[in-house]
Amino acid sequence: MTAPGRTLVVPVTAQWYLAGWRSKYRLRAKAIRAHVDGRERIIGVAATLLGYTVALGVFAEPCRATRGWYRDFGHRFGRYTIGGWRTIRRVPVSTGWAFGGNGSRIGCTVTVASRTLMCAKLATRADLRASRERHGDLHRKAAQ
């Protein structure tokens, strides 16, 4: 389902968008499908009534953002980061998850009035201990 050139798009959250346009159909309901990671997934729904279509979905274009800021802290109990940025598109309210390299949840994001705040856990206490042991060995060898 391809929308025509004159489409009204309103961001509902940082990922979900509400779109509307004039259509040639009188009555229709349809799932919006896309290929994501090699498989076909449903990314939204569209409904048409009397030639007007309204769609709700997670569309390909994410909200663009300004350059953000990040601060790391908590070296004693694990390593955490807190960060923030402003989205270019209007996003009234949104929440989401921050994911690590292996796909696990490591933190969360909250957006209010296009300002996003993120808090995430970068490393556990055991990870930091192992890193210090590895780097400590390297520093001792370099000193000798």
Side-chain angles (χ1 to χ4, degrees), residues 1 4-5 10 15 17 38 51 83 92 104 108 111-113 115 121 127 144:
M1 181 180 308
V10 177
Q15 293 180 331
Y17 292 87
S104 64
C108 63
T111 302
V112 176
R115 272 52 171 189
K121 185 173 189 172
D127 293 337
Q144 294 174 353

Side-chain angles (χ1 to χ4, degrees), residues 122-142:
L122 299 177
T124 64
R125 191 172 176 182
D127 293 337
L128 290 176
R129 190 176 318 117
S131 175
R132 282 188 208 118
E133 289 173 2
R134 277 194 309 267
H135 293 336
D137 290 340
L138 291 176
H139 292 299
R140 275 186 248 139
K141 287 179 185 177

Side-chain angles (χ1 to χ4, degrees), residues 3-9 20-22:
R6 290 183 50 129
T7 303
L8 173 66
V9 179
W21 64 89
R22 284 196 48 84

Side-chain angles (χ1 to χ4, degrees), residues 74-142:
H75 295 281
R76 182 176 218 170
F77 302 108
R79 189 167 182 194
Y80 296 87
T81 189
I82 190 167
W85 58 89
R86 184 178 64 84
T87 57
I88 301 295
R89 291 187 186 193
R90 294 179 301 136
V91 178
V93 176
S94 176
T95 60
W97 297 107
F99 292 96
N102 61 358
S104 64
R105 292 181 188 168
I106 61 169
C108 63
T109 63
V110 176
T111 302
V112 176
S114 298
R115 272 52 171 189
T116 300
L117 183 67
M118 179 194 72
C119 185
K121 185 173 189 172
L122 299 177
T124 64
R125 191 172 176 182
D127 293 337
L128 290 176
R129 190 176 318 117
S131 175
R132 282 188 208 118
E133 289 173 2
R134 277 194 309 267
H135 293 336
D137 290 340
L138 291 176
H139 292 299
R140 275 186 248 139
K141 287 179 185 177

